[in-house]
Amino acid sequence: GGGGGNAESGEDGHYEIIGLKDGSYYVNAYHQSYTSFRQEQVEAPNPNFNITMRGKATIQGRVLEARSGQPIRTFSIMAMQGLVDRVDPGNFWGNNGQTFVDDQGKFEIQAEDGGATLYVQSQGYAPTTQKIPDAKEGQTKSGVEIRLEAGGVIEGTVTTKAGERVAGAKIFTGRPPQGDWEIKQRPAAATTDADGVFRLESLPAQEVRMFAIHEGYATASASATPSSSGAPATVQIVMG
């Protein structure tokens, strides 16, 4: 189809999207209390396209330190639809999920029907994912334990090819920002100080891709792998 449109359903659930050209569209429907809906190849006009939204599952559990088994008091959880192996933080900026503060590390969160992945973060710890393949509409999955390892650290410097330190460079991890708008709106993982130095914390013990962006230079990138032992990994990013 050409273009698109949107609408919000009324109290009786009725909706109408107007101004569409004849053709084929995909339809997405979202509501915080229900599992997201998507269907492709929906023909317009279509005066009787009904959307049935499934309810969500409830997941209960605790977040613990991996080594000691002690509860982690403050953490955030983002519930994602489907079973996900790895999360790129660049794809979820501005959405850290739901924040929990509990002395026993307890949480209860709603997840989409049909299988879900919990992405768990806490300051000082490496983020992790927990797959919940049996998340079912209207059911409660209890007794879930999520254990967080201590987070790794990367310490780095940003320089020019001539060796001059670059202050005020924004450091992004994951995928690079797409365009000027995202560079301005997406929170940087770190910003270099007056000596061109930056520090990244709470990282997983796996390769981390970093991008340095400064309006006076071309974007530069580098990779480093934090150690699980706690010793910082070091990196230098050279901007052209």
Side-chain angles (χ1 to χ4, degrees):
N6 62 80
E8 183 173 322
S9 58
E11 293 182 0
D12 61 355
H14 178 78
Y15 73 93
E16 182 179 15
I17 301 174
I18 62 175
L20 298 178
K21 296 180 179 180
D22 291 0
S24 181
Y25 295 84
Y26 63 84
V27 176
N28 291 318
Y30 304 98
H31 190 288
Q32 63 181 5
S33 300
Y34 297 92
T35 294
S36 300
F37 171 93
R38 178 182 175 91
Q39 183 168 324
E40 300 183 3
Q41 301 299 316
V42 179
E43 296 298 322
N46 192 330
N48 296 302
F49 182 72
N50 295 323
I51 297 172
T52 301
M53 303 193 75
R54 304 190 308 275
K56 289 190 174 184
T58 299
I59 301 172
Q60 299 173 339
R62 301 174 71 202
V63 177
L64 309 171
E65 290 185 347
R67 296 185 180 182
S68 70
Q70 294 298 306
I72 295 176
R73 184 173 185 271
T74 304
F75 53 92
S76 66
I77 300 179
M78 180 170 59
M80 299 179 291
Q81 188 173 22
L83 304 180
V84 179
D85 291 316
R86 184 172 177 177
V87 175
D88 186 331
N91 291 331
F92 294 97
W93 60 274
N95 180 15
N96 290 322
Q98 187 174 342
T99 298
F100 296 87
V101 180
D102 186 274
D103 289 340
Q104 299 301 314
K106 294 181 179 180
F107 69 88
E108 179 177 297
I109 194 167
Q110 303 297 303
E112 306 217 348
D113 175 57
T117 301
L118 305 184
Y119 181 56
V120 187
Q121 301 176 85
S122 181
Q123 183 64 36
Y125 298 90
T128 193
T129 56
Q130 181 85 14
K131 297 178 183 178
I132 313 292
D134 51 351
K136 301 295 183 183
E137 175 184 13
Q139 297 183 11
T140 297
K141 172 73 173 179
S142 59
V144 176
E145 284 195 356
I146 302 172
R147 295 178 178 264
L148 299 185
E149 300 281 355
V153 175
I154 294 176
E155 294 179 344
T157 57
V158 178
T159 67
T160 66
K161 292 180 179 179
E164 298 175 349
R165 301 291 184 97
V166 179
K170 293 183 177 181
I171 309 299
F172 296 91
T173 60
R175 69 164 179 80
Q178 305 297 310
D180 292 340
W181 182 87
E182 187 175 337
I183 292 173
K184 294 177 181 178
Q185 297 297 322
R186 175 177 159 187
T191 302
T192 56
D193 63 16
D195 297 317
V197 174
F198 68 90
R199 179 182 172 93
L200 302 175
E201 300 178 337
S202 305
L203 299 171
Q206 60 192 32
E207 184 180 64
V208 176
R209 187 74 169 168
M210 294 157 283
F211 295 86
I213 296 180
H214 191 289
E215 61 182 6
Y217 304 91
T219 299
S221 65
S223 297
T225 301
S227 169
S228 58
S229 67
T234 58
V235 66
Q236 181 180 6
I237 304 177
V238 180
M239 306 193 77

